[in-house]
């Protein structure tokens, strides 16, 4: 996971732009980046697509569509035009507060 707080497979030149794009996506319920909250489970860059695995803090999350749409919008700014963006919401393993960055934990007062 060198250089990213989640598993990344793909060209090194896309690692940081993708990370920056995902950091711009905010979970509106906690007003923090989805990266800091620990919602990004992994990114795989293939020849024709960029696949992002996201989770939510709860299966009843009312803003899942907003987060997915925002992730697609931000990724579209940095991903080569010939690659499709696929954001998949997964529930396994379940999200826990252990996934949060130190910054997010401090922000929450933990």
């Amino acid at each position: 996971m060198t250089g990213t707080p989640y598993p990344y497979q793909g060209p090194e030149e896309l690692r940081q732009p993708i990370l920056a794009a995902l950091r711009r996506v905010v979970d509106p319920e906690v007003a923090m980046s989805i990266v800091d909250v620990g919602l990004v489970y992994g990114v795989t860059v293939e020849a024709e697509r960029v696949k992002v695995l996201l989770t939510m803090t709860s299966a009843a999350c009312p803003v899942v569509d907003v987060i997915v749409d925002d992730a697609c919008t931000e990724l579209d700014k940095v991903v080569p035009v010939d690659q499709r963006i696929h954001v998949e919401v997964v529930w396994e393993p379940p999200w826990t507060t252990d996934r949060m960055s130190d910054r997010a934990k401090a922000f929450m007062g933990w």
Side-chain angles (χ1 to χ4, degrees), residues 26-32 57-58 60-63 67 108:
V26 173
D27 180 335
E29 291 191 304
V30 292
M32 294 205 69
T57 57
S58 141
C61 178
V63 295
I67 292 172
M108 299 288 197

Side-chain angles (χ1 to χ4, degrees), residues 46-106:
E46 300 169 339
E48 295 180 4
R49 83 174 172 173
V50 174
K51 182 177 181 180
V52 178
L53 297 179
L54 294 181
T55 196
M56 299 296 134
T57 57
S58 141
C61 178
V63 295
V64 65
D65 291 336
V66 171
I67 292 172
V68 169
D69 288 347
D70 288 353
C72 289
T73 297
E74 291 302 326
L75 288 166
D76 195 42
K77 296 175 184 177
V78 300
V79 170
V81 295
D82 59 335
Q83 289 179 307
R84 294 185 330 269
I85 297 166
H86 176 75
V87 177
E88 181 179 343
V89 177
V90 297
W91 302 107
E92 294 294 328
W95 179 86
T96 68
T97 56
D98 293 340
R99 296 196 49 83
M100 296 173 72
S101 70
D102 290 340
R103 180 177 171 271
K105 289 176 183 176

